[in-house]
Amino acid sequence: IDHFGNIGSSIPATMLPESYDGIQIHLKETVISGIYPTYANVEKGETLAVINSRGYLEISQNCGNASLNTGAKEGDRITLYLP
């Protein structure tokens, strides 16, 4: 978890299907549908999944703190459901 509250993962984009449609990401009580190319693809305050600059799945919040919003702590499990 970085100082912005973004929740990094060890899941590389190379392990995900080419199309992100239908992917569901579960973190605690939060369910995210799909992976977005940028923060601007969702409303302010919405939690989303992106591929970060290092090529890994990251859970973030547009203009917010995903860690605080989800209650996530380092070591919490991120579960992916693929179509």
Side-chain angles (χ1 to χ4, degrees):
I1 298 173
D2 68 16
H3 64 282
F4 295 112
N6 298 318
I7 304 160
S9 80
S10 60
I11 303 166
T14 56
M15 291 186 67
L16 299 172
E18 285 186 33
S19 171
Y20 300 141
D21 293 339
I23 292 177
Q24 280 198 339
I25 299 125
H26 293 232
L27 172 64
K28 299 180 79 77
E29 302 298 319
T30 301
V31 177
I32 301 167
S33 295
I35 299 172
Y36 293 88
T38 68
Y39 289 60
N41 291 99
V42 301
E43 298 294 322
K44 287 185 178 180
E46 189 173 340
T47 303
L48 72 152
V50 296
I51 301 301
N52 67 21
S53 61
R54 293 184 177 155
Y56 288 86
L57 180 73
E58 181 173 279
I59 296 173
S60 304
Q61 186 176 10
N62 187 6
C63 298
N65 185 313
S67 176
L68 290 177
N69 184 52
T70 62
K73 304 274 188 263
E74 194 165 327
D76 283 347
R77 182 181 304 262
I78 296 172
T79 305
L80 297 178
Y81 293 92
L82 305 176

